[in-house]
Amino acid sequence: EIVLTQSPATLSLSPGERTTLSCRASQSISTYLAWYQQMPGQAPRLLIYDASNRATGIPARFSGSGSGTDFTLTISSLEPEDFAVYYCQQRSNWPLTFGGGTKVEIK
Amino acid sequence: EVQLLESGGDLVQPGGSLRLSCAASGFTFSNHAMSWVRQAPGKGLEWVSTINYSGGRTDYADSVKGRFTVSRDNSKNTLHLQMNALRAEDTAKYYCARGGGNWNFDSWGQGTLVTVSS
């Protein structure tokens, strides 16, 4: 099973700040990585697929990068609605696995 | 607009059974793999099962293999999850999601809550 490790577990930031979230895979997954955002009480939403492609309707302030085992999600300038939990997920191998999540909270 | 509406969640005793359903609309259901993903209270996301577009291939997490069965009815645009031999650790909100396998989870329902407790 491919283990995805997200860091840090929590980020305390202010609106307007730039932030980078990390996701590390236990073995190479090429670029078969997606990022999801989950706001409190809501279903997850696809943000980024194949490591660097924004999903439909996702603002340009969200960007993804990486390949192999190391991936990042960058939010260039935090908006109030961006304070949420972010998960990475791999589709390189069965079983499909998610990272443990990074919570971005308001400082 | 893609819509996924789960139903069937309930309080059930350990060892019991439950059948979840997901009604899909707004897209050609029979063209897409579909999945179940769950989230225990206060925890992260866990993939449960995926069924391919035709129903000819199914995959399961080890934690549910042999107890859960995923199926689909393409004539009714509906996805199901039959859950048997339920355990306390199966307590979670269960999300229906479009995609899985070679496809990202690009649309999600709002989830249905399953509680396993005596």
Side-chain angles (χ1 to χ4, degrees):
Chain A
E1 171 176 323
I2 294 175
V3 176
L4 298 178
T5 302
Q6 291 189 240
S7 61
T10 305
L11 280 167
S12 297
L13 299 163
S14 300
E17 286 195 89
R18 176 186 179 92
T19 188
T20 299
L21 286 61
S22 173
C23 176
R24 177 163 289 177
S26 59
Q27 64 188 74
S28 178
I29 57 172
S30 184
T31 56
Y32 296 124
L33 187 98
W35 290 93
Y36 300 85
Q37 177 194 62
Q38 187 175 34
M39 296 181 186
Q42 296 192 22
R45 174 174 73 146
L46 177 65
L47 291 178
I48 301 287
Y49 65 94
D50 293 347
S52 61
N53 298 287
R54 275 190 303 276
T56 303
I58 301 304
R61 64 181 181 272
F62 292 94
S63 63
S65 65
S67 65
T69 60
D70 290 305
F71 301 86
T72 58
L73 173 70
T74 299
I75 310 173
S76 60
S77 177
L78 282 163
E79 296 287 338
E81 62 268 26
D82 299 337
F83 292 92
V85 180
Y86 293 84
Y87 295 96
C88 57
Q89 177 252 326
Q90 65 82 22
R91 61 178 182 86
S92 174
N93 283 38
W94 298 99
L96 308 179
T97 50
F98 289 88
T102 291
K103 181 179 181 180
V104 178
E105 63 178 24
I106 298 177
K107 187 173 182 179
Chain B
E1 179 192 3
V2 174
Q3 291 196 342
L4 300 170
L5 183 61
E6 303 93 337
S7 61
D10 204 348
L11 170 64
V12 61
Q13 292 189 341
S17 297
L18 209 55
R19 189 190 197 209
L20 306 184
S21 296
C22 172
S25 61
F27 66 103
T28 304
F29 182 72
S30 59
N31 285 354
H32 292 267
M34 297 293 296
S35 297
W36 291 96
V37 176
R38 68 185 180 183
Q39 186 169 36
K43 302 298 184 182
L45 301 170
E46 180 189 13
W47 169 76
V48 172
S49 180
T50 295
I51 186 167
N52 77 339
Y53 70 99
S54 66
R57 173 176 173 158
T58 57
D59 290 275
Y60 299 93
D62 284 347
S63 58
V64 307
K65 200 173 293 183
R67 300 187 298 123
F68 290 11
T69 302
V70 63
S71 62
R72 65 191 298 160
D73 185 339
N74 284 345
S75 69
K76 295 183 179 178
N77 293 347
T78 304
L79 176 73
H80 300 287
L81 185 68
Q82 177 67 42
M83 310 164 68
N84 298 332
L86 283 160
R87 306 166 180 166
E89 54 265 35
D90 296 318
T91 293
K93 178 172 282 190
Y94 284 73
Y95 292 100
C96 166
R98 189 175 77 170
N102 290 330
W103 307 102
N104 303 288
F105 303 121
D106 64 1
S107 295
W108 298 66
Q110 285 304 305
T112 187
L113 184 62
V114 173
T115 303
V116 184
S117 174
S118 54

Short mmCIF file of all heavy atoms in Angstrom, two decimals, chain A residues 3-41:
data_model
loop_
_atom_site.label_atom_id
_atom_site.label_comp_id
_atom_site.label_asym_id
_atom_site.label_seq_id
_atom_site.Cartn_x
_atom_site.Cartn_y
_atom_site.Cartn_z
N VAL A 3 1.68 4.80 1.07
CA VAL A 3 1.34 5.70 2.16
C VAL A 3 1.67 7.13 1.74
O VAL A 3 2.77 7.41 1.24
CB VAL A 3 2.10 5.34 3.44
CG1 VAL A 3 1.81 6.34 4.55
CG2 VAL A 3 1.75 3.92 3.89
N LEU A 4 0.69 8.01 1.93
CA LEU A 4 0.88 9.44 1.64
C LEU A 4 0.98 10.18 2.97
O LEU A 4 0.08 10.09 3.81
CB LEU A 4 -0.28 9.98 0.83
CG LEU A 4 -0.48 9.36 -0.56
CD1 LEU A 4 -1.70 9.97 -1.24
CD2 LEU A 4 0.75 9.55 -1.43
N THR A 5 2.08 10.92 3.14
CA THR A 5 2.30 11.66 4.37
C THR A 5 2.21 13.15 4.08
O THR A 5 3.00 13.68 3.29
CB THR A 5 3.68 11.33 4.97
OG1 THR A 5 3.75 9.90 5.20
CG2 THR A 5 3.89 12.06 6.28
N GLN A 6 1.25 13.80 4.71
CA GLN A 6 1.06 15.23 4.51
C GLN A 6 1.67 16.02 5.67
O GLN A 6 1.58 15.61 6.83
CB GLN A 6 -0.43 15.57 4.38
CG GLN A 6 -1.04 15.03 3.11
CD GLN A 6 -2.45 15.56 2.90
OE1 GLN A 6 -3.40 14.80 2.82
NE2 GLN A 6 -2.57 16.88 2.76
N SER A 7 2.27 17.14 5.33
CA SER A 7 2.83 18.00 6.36
C SER A 7 2.69 19.47 5.96
O SER A 7 2.66 19.79 4.77
CB SER A 7 4.31 17.66 6.59
OG SER A 7 5.06 17.86 5.41
N PRO A 8 2.56 20.34 6.97
CA PRO A 8 2.33 19.99 8.37
C PRO A 8 0.89 19.55 8.59
O PRO A 8 0.08 19.61 7.66
CB PRO A 8 2.61 21.31 9.09
CG PRO A 8 2.16 22.35 8.10
CD PRO A 8 2.53 21.79 6.74
N ALA A 9 0.57 19.12 9.78
CA ALA A 9 -0.81 18.71 10.08
C ALA A 9 -1.73 19.93 10.14
O ALA A 9 -2.90 19.85 9.75
CB ALA A 9 -0.86 17.95 11.39
N THR A 10 -1.20 21.03 10.64
CA THR A 10 -1.98 22.26 10.77
C THR A 10 -1.11 23.46 10.40
O THR A 10 0.08 23.49 10.71
CB THR A 10 -2.49 22.44 12.22
OG1 THR A 10 -3.21 21.28 12.61
CG2 THR A 10 -3.39 23.66 12.34
N LEU A 11 -1.74 24.40 9.71
CA LEU A 11 -1.11 25.68 9.38
C LEU A 11 -2.00 26.79 9.90
O LEU A 11 -3.20 26.78 9.61
CB LEU A 11 -0.93 25.82 7.87
CG LEU A 11 0.24 25.12 7.21
CD1 LEU A 11 0.05 25.11 5.69
CD2 LEU A 11 1.55 25.81 7.58
N SER A 12 -1.43 27.71 10.64
CA SER A 12 -2.17 28.88 11.12
C SER A 12 -1.69 30.11 10.35
O SER A 12 -0.54 30.51 10.50
CB SER A 12 -1.96 29.08 12.62
OG SER A 12 -2.46 27.98 13.34
N LEU A 13 -2.58 30.67 9.55
CA LEU A 13 -2.19 31.72 8.62
C LEU A 13 -3.23 32.82 8.60
O LEU A 13 -4.37 32.64 9.07
CB LEU A 13 -2.00 31.15 7.22
CG LEU A 13 -0.93 30.08 7.08
CD1 LEU A 13 -1.11 29.30 5.78
CD2 LEU A 13 0.46 30.71 7.13
N SER A 14 -2.85 33.93 7.99
CA SER A 14 -3.77 35.06 7.85
C SER A 14 -4.19 35.20 6.40
O SER A 14 -3.44 34.81 5.48
CB SER A 14 -3.08 36.36 8.29
OG SER A 14 -2.67 36.27 9.64
N PRO A 15 -5.39 35.74 6.16
CA PRO A 15 -5.80 36.00 4.76
C PRO A 15 -4.76 36.83 4.04
O PRO A 15 -4.14 37.73 4.62
CB PRO A 15 -7.12 36.76 4.94
CG PRO A 15 -7.66 36.29 6.25
CD PRO A 15 -6.45 36.09 7.12
N GLY A 16 -4.53 36.50 2.77
CA GLY A 16 -3.54 37.20 1.97
C GLY A 16 -2.18 36.54 1.96
O GLY A 16 -1.36 36.82 1.07
N GLU A 17 -1.93 35.67 2.91
CA GLU A 17 -0.63 35.00 2.96
C GLU A 17 -0.54 33.91 1.90
O GLU A 17 -1.55 33.37 1.43
CB GLU A 17 -0.38 34.37 4.34
CG GLU A 17 -0.06 35.38 5.42
CD GLU A 17 0.52 34.71 6.65
OE1 GLU A 17 1.76 34.54 6.72
OE2 GLU A 17 -0.27 34.37 7.56
N ARG A 18 0.69 33.58 1.55
CA ARG A 18 0.97 32.49 0.63
C ARG A 18 1.33 31.26 1.46
O ARG A 18 1.97 31.37 2.50
CB ARG A 18 2.16 32.87 -0.25
CG ARG A 18 2.65 31.79 -1.21
CD ARG A 18 3.93 32.26 -1.90
NE ARG A 18 4.47 31.27 -2.82
CZ ARG A 18 4.18 31.21 -4.11
NH1 ARG A 18 3.34 32.10 -4.63
NH2 ARG A 18 4.72 30.29 -4.89
N THR A 19 0.91 30.09 1.01
CA THR A 19 1.23 28.89 1.75
C THR A 19 1.51 27.71 0.83
O THR A 19 1.00 27.65 -0.30
CB THR A 19 0.10 28.51 2.73
OG1 THR A 19 0.55 27.43 3.56
CG2 THR A 19 -1.17 28.06 2.01
N THR A 20 2.33 26.78 1.31
CA THR A 20 2.66 25.57 0.57
C THR A 20 2.42 24.36 1.46
O THR A 20 2.93 24.30 2.58
CB THR A 20 4.12 25.61 0.09
OG1 THR A 20 4.31 26.72 -0.79
CG2 THR A 20 4.46 24.32 -0.65
N LEU A 21 1.64 23.42 0.94
CA LEU A 21 1.34 22.18 1.64
C LEU A 21 2.12 21.06 0.97
O LEU A 21 2.27 21.04 -0.26
CB LEU A 21 -0.15 21.86 1.58
CG LEU A 21 -1.12 22.67 2.44
CD1 LEU A 21 -1.11 24.16 2.12
CD2 LEU A 21 -2.52 22.10 2.30
N SER A 22 2.58 20.10 1.77
CA SER A 22 3.42 19.02 1.26
C SER A 22 2.72 17.67 1.34
O SER A 22 1.97 17.40 2.28
CB SER A 22 4.72 18.97 2.04
OG SER A 22 5.49 17.85 1.68
N CYS A 23 2.98 16.82 0.36
CA CYS A 23 2.49 15.45 0.35
C CYS A 23 3.63 14.58 -0.16
O CYS A 23 4.15 14.81 -1.26
CB CYS A 23 1.27 15.34 -0.56
SG CYS A 23 0.61 13.67 -0.76
N ARG A 24 4.01 13.59 0.64
CA ARG A 24 5.11 12.70 0.26
C ARG A 24 4.60 11.28 0.17
O ARG A 24 3.94 10.79 1.09
CB ARG A 24 6.25 12.79 1.26
CG ARG A 24 7.41 11.85 1.00
CD ARG A 24 8.64 12.27 1.77
NE ARG A 24 9.22 13.50 1.23
CZ ARG A 24 10.28 14.12 1.74
NH1 ARG A 24 10.85 13.65 2.83
NH2 ARG A 24 10.74 15.22 1.20
N ALA A 25 4.91 10.61 -0.95
CA ALA A 25 4.49 9.22 -1.17
C ALA A 25 5.58 8.25 -0.77
O ALA A 25 6.77 8.54 -0.93
CB ALA A 25 4.12 9.02 -2.63
N SER A 26 5.18 7.08 -0.29
CA SER A 26 6.14 6.08 0.18
C SER A 26 6.87 5.39 -0.97
O SER A 26 7.89 4.72 -0.74
CB SER A 26 5.42 5.04 1.04
OG SER A 26 4.39 4.40 0.32
N GLN A 27 6.37 5.54 -2.18
CA GLN A 27 7.07 5.08 -3.37
C GLN A 27 6.61 5.92 -4.54
O GLN A 27 5.62 6.65 -4.43
CB GLN A 27 6.81 3.59 -3.63
CG GLN A 27 5.39 3.24 -3.95
CD GLN A 27 5.14 1.74 -4.02
OE1 GLN A 27 5.10 1.06 -3.00
NE2 GLN A 27 5.01 1.23 -5.24
N SER A 28 7.32 5.83 -5.65
CA SER A 28 7.02 6.70 -6.78
C SER A 28 5.61 6.47 -7.32
O SER A 28 5.17 5.33 -7.51
CB SER A 28 8.01 6.48 -7.92
OG SER A 28 7.67 7.30 -9.02
N ILE A 29 4.89 7.58 -7.54
CA ILE A 29 3.54 7.50 -8.10
C ILE A 29 3.45 8.34 -9.38
O ILE A 29 2.36 8.74 -9.79
CB ILE A 29 2.46 7.94 -7.09
CG1 ILE A 29 2.72 9.36 -6.58
CG2 ILE A 29 2.38 6.95 -5.93
CD1 ILE A 29 1.58 9.93 -5.74
N SER A 30 4.61 8.61 -10.02
CA SER A 30 4.63 9.46 -11.21
C SER A 30 3.91 10.78 -10.89
O SER A 30 4.28 11.44 -9.91
CB SER A 30 4.00 8.72 -12.38
OG SER A 30 4.09 9.48 -13.56
N THR A 31 2.91 11.13 -11.67
CA THR A 31 2.13 12.35 -11.36
C THR A 31 0.67 12.00 -11.07
O THR A 31 -0.22 12.83 -11.25
CB THR A 31 2.21 13.36 -12.52
OG1 THR A 31 1.78 12.73 -13.72
CG2 THR A 31 3.62 13.89 -12.69
N TYR A 32 0.44 10.76 -10.62
CA TYR A 32 -0.94 10.32 -10.36
C TYR A 32 -1.41 10.77 -8.98
O TYR A 32 -1.79 9.96 -8.13
CB TYR A 32 -1.03 8.81 -10.50
CG TYR A 32 -0.74 8.31 -11.89
CD1 TYR A 32 0.26 7.36 -12.12
CD2 TYR A 32 -1.45 8.80 -12.98
CE1 TYR A 32 0.52 6.91 -13.39
CE2 TYR A 32 -1.19 8.35 -14.27
CZ TYR A 32 -0.20 7.41 -14.47
OH TYR A 32 0.06 6.97 -15.74
N LEU A 33 -1.37 12.07 -8.77
CA LEU A 33 -1.73 12.64 -7.49
C LEU A 33 -2.77 13.73 -7.65
O LEU A 33 -2.68 14.55 -8.56
CB LEU A 33 -0.51 13.22 -6.77
CG LEU A 33 -0.86 13.66 -5.34
CD1 LEU A 33 -0.46 12.61 -4.34
CD2 LEU A 33 -0.29 15.02 -5.01
N ALA A 34 -3.76 13.72 -6.77
CA ALA A 34 -4.80 14.74 -6.75
C ALA A 34 -4.85 15.41 -5.38
O ALA A 34 -4.43 14.83 -4.38
CB ALA A 34 -6.16 14.12 -7.08
N TRP A 35 -5.36 16.62 -5.39
CA TRP A 35 -5.58 17.37 -4.14
C TRP A 35 -7.07 17.69 -4.02
O TRP A 35 -7.72 18.07 -5.01
CB TRP A 35 -4.79 18.68 -4.15
CG TRP A 35 -3.31 18.52 -4.04
CD1 TRP A 35 -2.41 18.44 -5.06
CD2 TRP A 35 -2.53 18.47 -2.84
NE1 TRP A 35 -1.13 18.33 -4.58
CE2 TRP A 35 -1.18 18.36 -3.21
CE3 TRP A 35 -2.85 18.53 -1.48
CZ2 TRP A 35 -0.14 18.28 -2.28
CZ3 TRP A 35 -1.82 18.45 -0.55
CH2 TRP A 35 -0.49 18.34 -0.95
N TYR A 36 -7.58 17.57 -2.81
CA TYR A 36 -8.98 17.87 -2.52
C TYR A 36 -9.05 18.86 -1.37
O TYR A 36 -8.22 18.84 -0.45
CB TYR A 36 -9.75 16.59 -2.14
CG TYR A 36 -9.75 15.55 -3.22
CD1 TYR A 36 -8.70 14.64 -3.34
CD2 TYR A 36 -10.80 15.46 -4.13
CE1 TYR A 36 -8.68 13.69 -4.35
CE2 TYR A 36 -10.78 14.52 -5.15
CZ TYR A 36 -9.72 13.64 -5.24
OH TYR A 36 -9.71 12.70 -6.25
N GLN A 37 -10.08 19.69 -1.42
CA GLN A 37 -10.37 20.63 -0.34
C GLN A 37 -11.67 20.21 0.33
O GLN A 37 -12.63 19.87 -0.35
CB GLN A 37 -10.54 22.04 -0.92
CG GLN A 37 -10.92 23.10 0.08
CD GLN A 37 -11.40 24.37 -0.63
OE1 GLN A 37 -12.39 24.36 -1.36
NE2 GLN A 37 -10.69 25.47 -0.42
N GLN A 38 -11.67 20.20 1.66
CA GLN A 38 -12.89 19.91 2.37
C GLN A 38 -13.16 21.02 3.39
O GLN A 38 -12.41 21.18 4.34
CB GLN A 38 -12.84 18.56 3.08
CG GLN A 38 -14.19 18.16 3.69
CD GLN A 38 -14.18 16.77 4.30
OE1 GLN A 38 -13.17 16.32 4.84
NE2 GLN A 38 -15.31 16.09 4.22
N MET A 39 -14.24 21.73 3.17
CA MET A 39 -14.67 22.76 4.11
C MET A 39 -15.50 22.10 5.20
O MET A 39 -16.07 21.02 4.98
CB MET A 39 -15.48 23.83 3.38
CG MET A 39 -14.65 24.59 2.36
SD MET A 39 -15.64 25.85 1.56
CE MET A 39 -14.51 26.42 0.32
N PRO A 40 -15.59 22.72 6.38
CA PRO A 40 -16.32 22.11 7.49
C PRO A 40 -17.75 21.74 7.12
O PRO A 40 -18.50 22.55 6.56
CB PRO A 40 -16.30 23.21 8.57
CG PRO A 40 -15.08 24.00 8.25
CD PRO A 40 -14.96 23.99 6.76
N GLY A 41 -18.11 20.49 7.38
CA GLY A 41 -19.47 20.02 7.15
C GLY A 41 -19.82 19.77 5.70
O GLY A 41 -20.98 19.50 5.38
#
